[in-house]
């Protein structure tokens, strides 16, 4: 690891996703199962409110326990920051080693799906319209970044937009991609494997694997260093 001297760049070893996974203890899993059988969803949400804002080891433990009790699937080694909130947690499938930064909000849908894969890192103050969302393994999600899976149709024209039907479109963030701080991913978009979305970008269409995009709307800048796309594939972004 290099040092910073006179303004030079410093390289620091990555931590998240490279640590060996530790299984959550049996008592924690047992407590989650007990809460699941003894309390309904409303009661569990109220209980979560008692621990949402605290940063003690007990608060952190109880946030994880309650998520495990409510979620459709919940992995080991998950970290949930302070004041993380949700809707329809029962539709969530959370992998191993996931980090969810403080003040993040994940809005599920009662008949939707929200899948967050293994070793995903989510920065604080992020927002997820997770009505139909898949985030694959080893995705980095910058602080304040947002995703939308739905929008109003705006039709018919004589109807107020807010009164028109909702259109839900699946969003997929493929493995190993990196979403920059305050970026916005719009409905129906797929972010290709290993791609990079620049900070503040607004992504309106699919991003191919190993591409770097940025801007409003996001446009293709270049391929990631070391990636050589097939010569017979023409990229139009």
């Amino acid at each position: 690891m290099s040092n910073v001297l006179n303004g030079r760049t410093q390289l620091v070893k990555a931590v998240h996703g490279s640590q060996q996974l530790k299984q959550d203890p049996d008592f924690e899993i047992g407590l989650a199962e007990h809460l699941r059988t003894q309390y309904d969803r409303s009661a569990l949400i109220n209980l979560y409110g008692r621990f949402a804002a605290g940063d003690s080891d007990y608060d952190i433990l109880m946030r994880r326990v309650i998520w495990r009790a409510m979620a459709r699937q919940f992995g080991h080694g998950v970290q949930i920051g302070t004041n993380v909130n949700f809707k329809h947690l029962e539709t969530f499938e959370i992998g191993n080693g996931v980090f969810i930064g403080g003040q993040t909000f994940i809005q599920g849908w009662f008949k939707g799906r929200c899948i967050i894969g293994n070793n995903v890192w989510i920065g604080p103050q992020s927002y997820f319209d997770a009505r139909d969302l898949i985030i694959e393994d080893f995705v980095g999600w910058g602080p304040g970044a947002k995703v939308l899976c739905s929008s109003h149709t705006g039709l018919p024209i004589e109807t107020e937009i807010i009164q028109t039907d909702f259109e839900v479109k699946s969003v997929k963030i493929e493995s190993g991609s990196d979403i920059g701080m305050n970026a916005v991913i719009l409905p129906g978009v797929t972010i290709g494997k290993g791609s990079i979305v620049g900070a503040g970008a607004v992504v309106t269409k699919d991003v191919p694997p190993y591409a770097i995009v940025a801007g409003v709307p996001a446009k293709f800048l270049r391929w990631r260093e070391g990636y050589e796309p097939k010569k017979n594939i023409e990229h139009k972004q």
Side-chain angles (χ1 to χ4, degrees), residues 45-211:
I45 291 172
N46 289 335
L47 182 62
Y48 181 76
R50 295 172 53 185
F51 306 103
D55 57 6
S56 70
D57 289 345
Y58 185 62
D59 291 316
I60 295 168
L61 167 68
M62 289 305 298
R63 285 198 292 271
R64 191 165 56 241
V65 165
I66 294 168
W67 275 56
R68 175 175 268 119
M70 295 183 68
R72 180 181 295 162
Q73 181 176 312
F74 193 84
H76 295 273
V78 176
Q79 301 177 63
I80 302 166
T82 56
N83 294 308
V84 173
N85 280 305
F86 54 82
K87 282 189 176 180
H88 294 291
L89 182 53
E90 73 277 5
T91 66
F92 293 11
E93 299 177 26
I94 311 293
N96 296 319
V98 172
F99 173 87
I100 304 175
Q103 300 180 51
T104 289
F105 184 71
I106 307 177
Q107 181 173 328
W109 187 31
F110 73 97
K111 60 179 181 179
R113 61 174 178 172
C114 172
I115 299 173
I116 300 176
N118 299 317
N119 298 294
V120 170
W121 188 93
I122 296 171
Q125 299 181 345
S126 298
Y127 173 77
F128 298 84
D129 169 2
R131 288 173 171 86
D132 191 356
L133 176 64
I134 299 174
I135 301 177
E136 294 185 343
D137 298 346
F138 292 98
V139 167
W141 192 272
K146 301 172 179 65
V147 61
L148 296 176
C149 290
S150 61
S151 61
H152 289 282
T153 63
L155 297 171
I157 190 66
E158 62 271 15
T159 302
E160 302 292 351
I161 294 173
I162 200 170
Q163 294 179 329
T164 62
D165 291 342
F166 247 16
E167 188 174 43
V168 177
K169 295 182 179 179
S170 179
V171 172
K172 187 176 185 180
I173 315 297
E174 293 185 346
S175 62
S177 54
D178 188 81
I179 311 301
M181 178 185 291
N182 291 325
V184 178
I185 314 298
L186 294 185
V189 166
T190 292
I191 305 296
K193 179 178 180 178
S195 59
I196 297 174
V197 174
V202 177
V203 185
T204 62
K205 55 186 177 180
D206 292 353
V207 175
Y210 303 105

Side-chain angles (χ1 to χ4, degrees), residues 4-8:
V4 172
L5 293 174
N6 300 322
R8 288 183 292 178

